[in-house]
Amino acid sequence: MEEKSSGKTILKIITIICTVGLVFMLLGAISFGIIGIVLKSNLNNFCDEALAVEGYIVEADGVESSTTIGFYDEEYGYCEVYKNSYSSSVQTGDTVTVYYDSEDPYSIKVKELDGIVGNVFVILGIVFTAIVVFFGAIFVIIRLVVGAIMKKKM
């Protein structure tokens, strides 16, 4: 009888540990997804309200993870903006669409550069969700098998 009781206790402890782990992973997945969606939404909102002009990549430095973008504004003339972001999808000399605030032409967004972070968070959210589903399914299967084995021993 004591062996059955200790087996049930161990099963309960494992169930609690796995459940808590899965809950935290699910919270991480949800958080990553929400952050990614908010970042993408903020980028799209900025671009919807901003002026769009053709600009070009003055310098794309993968070592420094920086990019310098140049464009022309009718009121301010030629503007060159240094960004602490880099993507291998853009190279020096490439033409890009620059979205900027008409009152502050140095407040710019370039989707090829600024959209990457949101995409990374969304992808991480999807990956974490897949991991939670995978381990959750394994946990349920193991729980059912162990439960069936314990019933047979009774």
Side-chain angles (χ1 to χ4, degrees):
M1 185 74 162
E2 188 175 313
E3 184 180 314
K4 290 178 186 174
S5 176
S6 67
K8 285 183 178 181
T9 304
I10 290 172
L11 188 60
K12 285 180 183 178
I13 291 170
I14 290 171
T15 301
I16 291 169
I17 290 170
C18 288
T19 303
V20 169
L22 289 172
V23 166
F24 278 108
M25 286 188 73
L26 185 60
L27 290 174
I30 291 168
S31 297
F32 278 128
I34 289 172
I35 290 169
I37 290 168
V38 167
L39 288 172
K40 290 181 75 60
S41 176
N42 287 345
L43 174 62
N44 289 335
N45 289 342
F46 181 90
C47 292
D48 288 345
E49 296 172 7
L51 296 175
V53 296
E54 187 176 278
Y56 67 96
I57 304 298
V58 176
E59 181 181 9
D61 188 347
V63 176
E64 296 289 325
S65 289
S66 64
T67 308
T68 305
I69 299 107
F71 64 97
Y72 182 79
D73 174 73
E74 289 182 18
E75 184 178 340
Y76 294 96
Y78 179 75
C79 299
E80 201 168 275
V81 178
Y82 175 87
K83 293 184 73 67
N84 286 322
S85 59
Y86 170 80
S87 171
S88 60
S89 68
V90 295
Q91 303 298 322
T92 301
D94 286 354
T95 301
V96 293
T97 301
V98 177
Y99 299 91
Y100 69 98
D101 182 345
S102 61
E103 295 178 13
D104 180 11
Y106 294 97
S107 175
I108 72 166
K109 300 286 183 189
V110 176
K111 287 187 177 182
E112 293 87 348
L113 297 172
D114 297 303
I116 293 171
V117 176
N119 291 339
V120 168
F121 275 97
V122 169
I123 290 168
L124 285 173
I126 291 168
V127 168
F128 266 71
T129 301
I131 291 169
V132 168
V133 168
F134 176 76
F135 282 112
I138 289 175
F139 169 67
V140 168
I141 291 168
I142 291 172
R143 180 80 167 90
L144 291 172
V145 169
V146 170
I149 291 170
M150 289 183 68
K151 278 186 180 179
K152 280 186 178 180
K153 287 186 176 184
M154 288 182 149

